[in-house]
Amino acid sequence: ANACGSWAKWCCVCHAAQRRIACLPEVERSKIDFFLTEDCCESKLAKNTSSPGFVVDATPSRNTTLAWQPGVGFVELPQE
């Protein structure tokens, strides 16, 4: 999300994630390469603000990215 300014810019966030995934070593990439075929800008993962069920994200912005690591819990990812 740092590359795009926020998680709200899903198309940009998705493309940035795809670039990072594509550059991973094969062993790591093979676990998540399904995401490389995601159509980022038409994604079902994007927030549809025109949907009647849309909920505004009031989460405060942060300068870090967290990831779930099995057996450890949430860990802060290194910044690029």
Side-chain angles (χ1 to χ4, degrees), residues 1-14 16 19 59-65:
N2 285 345
C4 302
S6 79
W7 284 99
K9 298 176 184 171
W10 177 253
C11 186
C12 176
V13 171
C14 180
R19 285 189 294 274
T59 306
S61 59
R62 62 177 184 249
N63 294 329
T64 59
T65 300

Side-chain angles (χ1 to χ4, degrees), residues 22-64:
C23 293
L24 290 172
E26 175 61 30
V27 174
E28 294 176 45
R29 185 178 59 242
S30 65
K31 298 173 186 174
I32 53 174
D33 63 359
F34 68 90
F35 194 74
L36 293 174
T37 60
E38 178 71 25
D39 182 353
C40 293
C41 299
E42 296 295 326
S43 174
K44 293 177 184 165
L45 299 173
K47 292 181 180 179
N48 182 357
T49 56
S50 64
S51 169
F54 176 74
V55 176
V56 175
D57 185 359
T59 306
S61 59
R62 62 177 184 249
N63 294 329
T64 59

